[in-house]
Structure formats: C-alpha cells, structure tokens
Amino acid sequence: MSESNTRVPAAATGSVRRSRDVPMLVERARDGDPRAVARLITLVESGDGTVPAIAAALAPYAGQAQVVGLTGSPGVGKSTTTNELVRALRNRGHRVGVLAIDPSSPFTGGAILGDRVRMQDHATDPGVYIRSMSSRGHLGGLSAATPQAVRVLEGAGCDVVLVETVGVGQAEVEVASLADTTLVLLAPGMGDAIQAVKAGILEIADVFVVNKADRDGADATVRDIQGMIALGERGPGQWRPQVVRAIAARAEGIDDIAAAIDKHRAWLVEHDELRRRREARAAAEVEAIALGVLRARIGSLRDGTHLPALAAEVAAGATDPYAAAEALLAQLSG
C-alpha cells in the first residue's frame, strides 16, 4: 500500500488523482489502492468541501486501528524508531499506516517532507502506507488534518497507525489526545536530571524509550526517568509508564518497545480506558470542528458591518469587550 510505488493503470491513476467522487475513493481505499488513500488525505488536508462526506463515509470504520504516537525532541531518533517499528509490526502480519508530521516554514509555508525518505525500506511493501504531512503552522506537533487522516488510514484497513510528531519541544502534547498509546523518546546527553521532572511532554508518556542507549549517560537517563515516575501519584490499578532502552539504528530493543505497547494496550482494554480515551478523542475532534466553523463565521462577519461597529464602540468606550462578544455571539446564533 506504499503511496509512491504501487502501479495501477494510467487511466485509473488519473481518475483517482483528480476525483472528488467520495464513495468511489473510499471503495478503492478499502481495496488497498494507495492513490485513493493519498487522494482522500489530500482532500482532508486542503479542507475541501467533500471533507464532511469523507468523514461520513469513513465513520463505520472508526476505532478499528491501534493508534500509536511517537514524540520527542529533534534528534532522538523518532523516524529511525518508527521505521524499525514498522518492520516489527509487518513481521506480525499487521497492515501499517504512518503519518509523519514535518514542520512548515512560517515564511513560505513550505516543508521538507523528509520522513518518507528515511523510511525507504518499506517503499515497495503493499502492506505499508507512509504519508508525510506538513504542520502548516499548527501548534502541538501535529497537523490540523491529522485526526481525519488517521480515519482515512483506518478506513483503508490499517491495523496500526503510527503518528510521528514534528518534535518541537516540551509543550508538544497534542499527540496524547490522538493516540491510544504515546511513546516519548529521549536520548542520553540531551539534558540533566531537571529535565526529567519538568511539566509538559514527559507527563504524557505511556512508554518512555531511551534511544541511542549505547551512548554514555544512558544509565543516568533511565534512572532519572524512573525517579520521575516514582514521584508520580497513582491509584490502585493505574498505569505505570514503562521505560525501555533501544538502539534503533541497530534495530536493538524494538521488540521490547513492541512488547511495552502490547502491555499498555492490554491494560487499556482491561480497565475500559481504551473506550474512555477514544470518546475523549472524539469529543476533542467534534469541538475542534465546531470551533473552526465558528471562526469561519466570525471571519465572514468582518466583511459586514456588525463586527466593525462593535469594535468601534469598544474603542470609543461606549461598551466593553465582553458585552460586544455577547452581542457578536447573539448575531452568530441568529
């Protein structure tokens, strides 16, 4: 199911690339056509008018894939680890989808989508679909279209979807609301013990992966993380994050990572946490869509007279911004 290598007849390729026929695209994606999958994700990324129809067509397949998020600072080896995890999952017979989010330029809007280049080992594997996505300025380490792209890959029959974040820093926590299991990757020499107790990205981990564990300082990094975990307050039966060592460049420790993911998955099911997380994910997705609609409506008001008139009253001191916001909301609801 590799996006760039599976060959189909030229006529079919052209029709898929230009098509906005949602039922046809979903049917072809269900049959494993990578170009149909690519077209659906492109429509979702561009905010095309067919997105609601795509979401409706994919709704029956929601929740059928295990979603695993990988995050961590740049240089810790996220792409290499993802590449090796794909190999391990394929050895188990799973169909795998990968969404690799890359940063986009705040000046040109462009992005170097390099993660697919790093994963060329799987380029000809029909059981793997790899898609690089630009963050397009969206904060939190993901793209705004990532949740719908995950739904496309679920509809395309992926058993596991790996979501690799941009890797921007300690506040990159949005992936935790999208993934069933979140892996936080660290590497020796990227900070002292204080980093291990800072709020933010380290609080979202279900599994910690200390990658490049052959480097000096790996033992200290493991101890720091274990100490941080020991300080956390957990009730009976609550999940205790696992700490795994790996050298992804040599494919060492990958089976241990997969085993930790399996263990967390079993805990999620046993404690009904998987259902709760997915309902929370759906709530966040619905809220984001609703807020997007509201922002679009507010933007359309700028072309009229109501918002400028309210702004003039606030600037002149004739009313306050809260009263003006209430009036604006009343206009929107009307």
Side-chain angles (χ1 to χ4, degrees):
M1 197 165 54
S2 174
E3 179 181 351
S4 56
N5 289 279
T6 302
R7 298 185 180 275
V8 297
T13 301
S15 64
V16 167
R17 285 177 177 167
R18 292 188 293 269
S19 178
R20 297 174 69 195
D21 182 346
V22 171
M24 182 271 289
L25 288 172
V26 171
E27 181 180 355
R28 290 194 178 187
R30 292 290 295 165
D31 290 337
D33 183 344
R35 288 171 175 80
V37 178
R39 180 60 176 153
L40 286 170
I41 294 180
T42 297
L43 291 172
V44 165
E45 275 196 285
S46 64
D48 189 79
T50 59
V51 171
I54 292 171
L58 294 172
Y61 314 111
Q64 295 185 7
Q66 181 180 7
V67 183
V68 178
L70 296 93
T71 188
S73 301
V76 296
K78 293 189 300 297
S79 295
T80 306
T81 303
T82 300
N83 186 65
E84 295 304 322
L85 270 178
V86 170
R87 194 187 316 280
L89 291 167
R90 289 296 293 142
N91 288 338
R92 295 182 177 189
H94 294 314
R95 297 182 72 182
V96 184
V98 178
L99 296 175
I101 317 301
D102 281 300
S104 54
S105 168
F107 305 105
T108 66
I112 298 176
L113 305 180
D115 290 289
R116 200 188 310 166
V117 175
R118 295 192 184 102
M119 301 180 197
Q120 282 300 300
D121 292 352
H122 311 290
T124 58
D125 187 343
V128 178
Y129 182 91
I130 300 170
R131 173 75 175 223
S132 293
M133 300 175 68
S134 167
S135 64
R136 302 193 180 193
H138 185 76
L139 301 179
L142 300 178
S143 162
T146 305
Q148 290 303 319
V150 169
R151 289 181 179 273
V152 171
L153 293 181
E154 286 184 315
C158 290
D159 302 303
V160 182
V161 177
L162 303 177
V163 181
E164 180 191 328
T165 71
V166 168
V168 292
Q170 291 171 331
E172 186 185 302
V173 298
E174 189 176 347
V175 68
S177 65
L178 177 70
D180 300 325
T181 299
T182 301
L183 274 58
V184 172
L185 275 69
L186 306 101
M190 301 194 72
D192 56 22
I194 298 299
Q195 298 295 331
V197 295
K198 283 188 175 180
I201 191 171
L202 297 184
E203 295 181 293
I204 67 171
D206 298 306
V207 178
F208 287 102
V209 178
V210 178
N211 193 31
K212 306 181 182 181
D214 53 338
R215 289 185 175 181
D216 292 339
D219 291 341
T221 301
V222 171
R223 285 196 303 270
D224 291 340
I225 296 302
Q226 290 174 335
M228 182 206 70
I229 294 171
L231 291 173
E233 295 183 4
R234 292 178 185 81
Q238 285 189 304
W239 174 254
R240 181 183 177 88
Q242 306 287 291
V243 183
V244 180
R245 299 170 185 254
I247 309 173
R250 301 207 298 252
E252 295 178 13
I254 302 302
D255 289 339
D256 294 334
I257 297 174
I261 294 171
D262 290 342
K263 186 175 180 179
H264 183 248
R265 170 79 175 195
W267 178 86
L268 289 172
V269 173
E270 179 183 353
H271 292 81
D272 200 30
E273 183 69 11
L274 184 62
R275 176 193 59 80
R276 191 199 67 77
R277 288 195 180 196
R278 290 184 171 182
E279 288 181 358
R281 181 196 312 171
E285 192 175 354
V286 171
E287 181 181 18
I289 292 170
L291 288 174
V293 172
L294 286 175
R295 290 191 190 98
R297 291 181 181 177
I298 291 173
S300 67
L301 288 177
R302 290 181 180 273
D303 298 330
T305 60
H306 193 62
L307 182 57
L310 286 171
E313 291 181 21
V314 171
T319 188
D320 64 88
Y322 287 92
E326 289 289 344
L328 182 62
L329 290 172
Q331 174 77 3
L332 288 173
S333 63

